[in-house]
């Protein structure tokens, strides 16, 4: 089926109520759940084939999280769908007032390669749960996973409800010309701008889940042992190819030496058997990204690590001494290189962070609540953790999304249901009473009464 005929059929199926009732939504979510559970091994193998992601990582970050999300939607969907009563305004008395969450219609989900199951299916779950039909465009850079997703989803679902189109930028361009009712994009800030521009042509609402340079700050009171372990844990999952990976670290000068020592201990602990693609470590996705990271590596002052192998596309986790103006501090790294900048003055780092594009995440290692509040209140970022990295994504009660250059809108759990539905207001009146008072002509007596009854002082 062509792209345009699929969207036309989805529009019609949406109007016909293909995914309208709570029963049909739950049935679709259950079918998705069973499909993933049944093919969990094949899906993990596909990700391993694409970029050597070990099974343990694939299971936790791709399969488990998606199954958990489906269970959460199944449990709460009925409640989320219920019309929510609101109070009445004095001028609308007597009336019943409520808000219904209405699905948008046919939605387009565009996903990146780095968590190719998770980032394709998490939005699909939200879209189905909220009552929409979906077209999914997975990434061409994870071809094995994208092809398997397409095969499995097409086996299980009517394309009028859920359809997958593989392809590159030209496929996205073609999709962006279609009359979708909502677009959900996850990927780079550069492509996010292309998507938003195209959506603006048709006034299609967008959610943009983008990237950025997420800082970790290790303040003077921090426990460097735990901080180093948790930062390197966040940096080495998926070999640093994670949108919320700590991109760089700001370490208080009094802890610089100990942070390096603890980093060495953490990395020795994690990878004492060496780095083995597909077993305990992930490859860089392709040669282009390997070369980009290797160039950064070559131009940097290495403190720890530094080995790389183009043939296996493995780059060792590497700690780098850096300054704000260095090349490695300009764009999102998206790899296992960790620049560290030392600081002495808290205000200077806050000012430096304020001057940069707002990141998707920020991680703060300190128990000093004054410092915590001053960073949180003065540096805009999507979301983050105090004394940890990345784990805020593991709680579906927290909205996940960026701000400014790192995106707009948020999802996960109930926030996904809301991202894929719109609030529709209804005011319901009885036929009686129907006083003359509200109708023209509006003479002086009516105005006097209006002011007396409705104006508060
Ligand atoms: P990308 O922007 O290159 O690709 C994302 C999608 O856009 C793919 O499906 C791709 O086919 C499509 N695309 C690529 N070029 C295009 C073009 N010129 N026109 C139209 N469509 C195009 O991103 P990526 O390399 O797959 O992923 C890495 C980026 O995504 C990083 O910046 C990362 O931070 C970000 N990311 C964000 C999140 C999040 O949840 N906020 C999650 C993962 C990745």
């Amino acid at each position: 089926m062509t792209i345009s005929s699929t969207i036309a059929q989805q529009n019609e199926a949406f109007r016909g109520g293909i995914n309208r009732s709570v029963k049909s939504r739950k049935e679709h979510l259950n079918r998705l759940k069973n499909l993933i559970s049944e093919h969990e091994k094949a899906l993990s193998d596909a990700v391993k084939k694409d970029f050597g992601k070990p099974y343990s990582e694939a299971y936790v970050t791709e399969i488990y999280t998606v199954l958990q999300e489906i269970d959460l939607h199944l449990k709460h969907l009925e409640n989320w769908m219920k019309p929510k009563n609101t109070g009445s305004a004095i001028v609308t008395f007597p009336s019943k007032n409520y808000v219904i969450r209405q699905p948008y219609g046919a939605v387009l989900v565009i996903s990146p390669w780095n968590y190719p199951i998770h980032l394709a299916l998490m939005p699909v779950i939200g879209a189905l749960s909220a009552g929409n039909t979906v077209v999914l465009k997975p990434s061409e850079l994870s071809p094995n996973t994208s092809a398997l997703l397409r095969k499995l989803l097409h086996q299980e679902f009517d394309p009028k409800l859920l359809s997958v189109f593989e392809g590159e930028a030209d496929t996205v361009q073609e999709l962006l010309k279609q009359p979708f009712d909502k677009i959900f994009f996850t990927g780079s800030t550069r492509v996010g701008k292309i998507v938003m521009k195209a959506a603006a042509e048709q006034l299609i609402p967008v959610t943009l889940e983008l990237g950025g340079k997420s800082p970790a700050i290790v303040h003077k009171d921090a426990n460097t042992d735990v901080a180093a372990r948790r930062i390197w844990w966040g940096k080495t999952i998926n070999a640093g190819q994670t949108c919320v990976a700590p991109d760089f670290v700001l370490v208080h000068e009094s802890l610089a030496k100990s942070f390096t020592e603890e980093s060495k201990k953490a990395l020795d602990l994690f990878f004492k058997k060496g780095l083995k693609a597909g077993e305990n470590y992930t490859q860089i996705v392709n040669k282009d990204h390997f070369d980009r990271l290797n160039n950064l590596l070559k131009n940097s002052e290495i403190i720890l690590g530094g080995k790389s192998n183009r043939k296996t596309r493995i780059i060792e986790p590497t700690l780098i001494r850096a300054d704000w103006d260095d090349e490695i501090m300009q764009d999102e790294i998206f790899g296992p290189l960790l620049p560290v900048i030392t600081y002495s003055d808290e205000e200077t780092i806050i000012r430096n962070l304020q001057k940069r594009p707002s990141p998707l995440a920020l991680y703060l290692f300190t128990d000093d609540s004054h410092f915590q509040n001053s960073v949180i209140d003065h540096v805009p970022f999507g979301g983050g953790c105090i004394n940890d990295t990345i784990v805020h994504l593991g709680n579906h009660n927290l909205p996940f999304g960026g701000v400014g250059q790192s995106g707009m809108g948020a999802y996960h759990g109930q926030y996904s249901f809301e991202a894929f539905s719109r609030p529709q207001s209804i005011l319901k009146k009885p036929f009686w009473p129907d006083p003359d008072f509200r109708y023209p002509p509006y003479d002086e007596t009516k105005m006097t009464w209006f002011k007396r009854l409705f104006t508060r002082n």
Side-chain angles (χ1 to χ4, degrees):
M1 246 191 320
T2 64
I3 286 179
S4 59
S5 66
T6 301
I7 286 74
Q9 288 198 13
Q10 287 207 355
N11 282 329
E12 205 180 314
F14 174 76
R15 284 192 292 271
I18 192 169
N19 191 29
R20 179 87 225 177
S21 66
V22 65
K23 185 163 168 271
S24 61
R25 296 185 199 188
K26 282 191 170 179
E27 189 210 316
H28 296 139
L29 289 171
N30 269 316
R31 274 166 49 189
L32 186 59
K33 181 179 167 182
N34 294 338
L35 189 73
I36 299 160
S37 303
E38 269 169 40
H39 298 278
E40 170 251 299
K41 184 72 178 55
L43 285 162
S44 309
D45 284 349
V47 185
K48 188 165 170 176
K49 216 165 166 189
D50 279 329
F51 53 100
K53 189 166 180 153
Y55 174 74
S56 52
E57 263 191 43
Y59 185 80
V60 176
T61 64
E62 308 266 12
I63 307 287
Y64 169 80
T65 44
V66 165
L67 292 175
Q68 285 287 302
E69 177 82 359
I70 296 179
D71 280 341
L72 190 88
H73 283 255
L74 286 170
K75 186 170 171 203
H76 296 290
L77 183 57
E78 238 162 305
N79 189 29
W80 295 340
M81 282 174 71
K82 274 190 194 138
K84 302 281 178 297
N85 289 328
T86 72
S88 169
I90 190 163
V91 282
T92 63
F93 181 84
S95 63
K96 186 175 169 185
N97 298 256
Y98 52 97
V99 179
I100 307 171
R101 297 294 318 188
Q102 292 289 9
Y104 280 102
V107 310
L108 171 63
V109 171
I110 305 171
S111 59
W113 62 268
N114 63 327
Y115 288 84
I117 301 170
H118 177 119
L119 294 169
L121 295 185
M122 290 291 268
V124 167
I125 294 164
L128 291 178
S129 160
N132 303 278
T133 66
V134 193
V135 168
L136 168 66
K137 158 56 187 87
S139 174
E140 68 279 20
L141 298 190
S142 47
N144 292 292
T145 316
S146 297
L148 184 59
L149 278 176
R150 177 170 183 273
K151 186 176 141 211
L152 295 176
L153 292 170
H154 281 188
Q155 267 168 16
E156 186 63 35
F157 292 99
D158 184 340
K160 288 179 194 150
L161 174 73
L162 174 52
S163 191
V164 182
F165 285 94
E166 286 182 86
E168 304 190 5
D170 54 337
T171 306
V172 179
Q173 296 295 352
E174 183 62 28
L175 285 163
L176 290 173
K177 288 184 197 143
Q178 307 304 317
F180 282 105
D181 300 295
K182 161 95 192 181
I183 299 175
F184 189 103
F185 172 81
T186 308
S188 61
T189 303
R190 179 185 69 84
V191 180
K193 289 179 187 172
I194 296 173
V195 169
M196 190 161 172
K197 217 170 173 176
E201 281 299 318
Q202 300 190 72
L203 290 179
I204 301 172
V206 291
T207 298
L208 300 178
E209 295 281 339
L210 312 177
K213 282 184 92 62
S214 301
I217 304 173
V218 181
H219 201 39
K220 56 190 171 196
D221 66 306
N223 175 333
T224 40
D225 165 25
V226 179
R229 257 201 312 275
R230 291 182 182 171
I231 288 170
W232 279 109
W233 174 79
K235 189 67 167 181
T236 53
I237 294 174
N238 224 31
Q241 302 166 108
T242 304
C243 55
V244 284
D247 187 281
F248 61 95
V249 194
L250 304 172
V251 179
H252 191 270
E253 59 183 4
S254 62
L255 298 182
K257 189 162 169 276
S258 118
F259 184 76
T260 301
E261 287 163 3
E262 296 301 339
S263 291
K264 181 163 181 356
K265 279 192 216 161
L267 292 170
D268 286 348
L269 175 77
F270 296 174
F271 303 112
K272 51 178 164 263
K273 290 187 185 153
L275 302 169
K276 297 203 177 86
E279 282 181 39
N280 67 351
Y281 198 59
T282 305
Q283 292 168 290
I284 302 306
V285 65
N286 58 26
K287 294 272 195 264
D288 287 350
H289 278 287
F290 178 91
D291 291 342
R292 176 183 64 78
L293 289 162
N294 215 27
N295 279 338
L296 289 174
L297 194 61
K298 278 192 201 134
N299 297 336
S300 299
E301 189 186 336
I302 294 167
I303 305 174
L304 285 175
K307 288 198 208 91
S308 62
N309 181 333
R310 194 169 194 269
K311 214 163 132 202
T312 57
R313 303 198 316 270
I314 290 276
I315 295 184
E316 194 180 12
T318 300
L319 186 65
I320 286 165
R321 187 166 292 113
D323 217 330
W324 291 99
D325 296 330
D326 290 354
E327 186 190 358
I328 200 164
M329 287 301 294
Q330 304 319 308
D331 295 318
E332 183 181 15
I333 297 170
F334 224 56
L337 313 179
L338 187 67
V340 57
I341 298 176
T342 52
Y343 71 91
S344 54
D345 170 31
E346 295 150 28
E347 278 177 23
T348 310
I349 56 166
I350 290 178
R351 268 203 307 279
N352 274 325
L353 291 173
Q354 283 172 334
K355 281 189 224 152
R356 303 185 139 234
S358 305
L360 187 57
L362 186 147
Y363 306 114
L364 203 45
F365 288 83
T366 180
D367 281 330
D368 175 345
S369 56
H370 177 75
F371 184 54
Q372 288 168 2
N373 292 338
S374 77
V375 172
I376 290 169
D377 291 347
H378 294 101
V379 180
F381 58 94
C385 306
I386 294 170
N387 298 331
D388 213 331
T389 64
I390 299 191
V391 291
H392 59 304
L393 263 76
N395 180 357
H396 296 168
N397 298 310
L398 294 173
F400 173 56
V403 54
Q405 299 284 303
S406 58
M408 61 182 68
Y411 76 132
H412 286 182
Q414 185 168 1
Y415 297 95
S416 282
F417 177 83
E418 287 171 5
F420 285 101
S421 60
R422 61 187 176 81
Q424 182 183 52
S425 303
I426 303 290
L427 184 150
K428 191 170 170 182
K429 275 249 180 204
F431 282 110
W432 185 91
D434 192 36
D436 284 349
F437 175 73
R438 67 176 273 185
Y439 299 108
Y442 300 117
D443 56 21
E444 218 171 282
T445 321
K446 278 188 180 173
M447 284 316 294
T448 308
W449 271 105
F450 183 89
K451 286 181 183 168
R452 203 170 283 168
L453 285 173
F454 299 130
T455 309
R456 290 189 197 131
N457 45 21

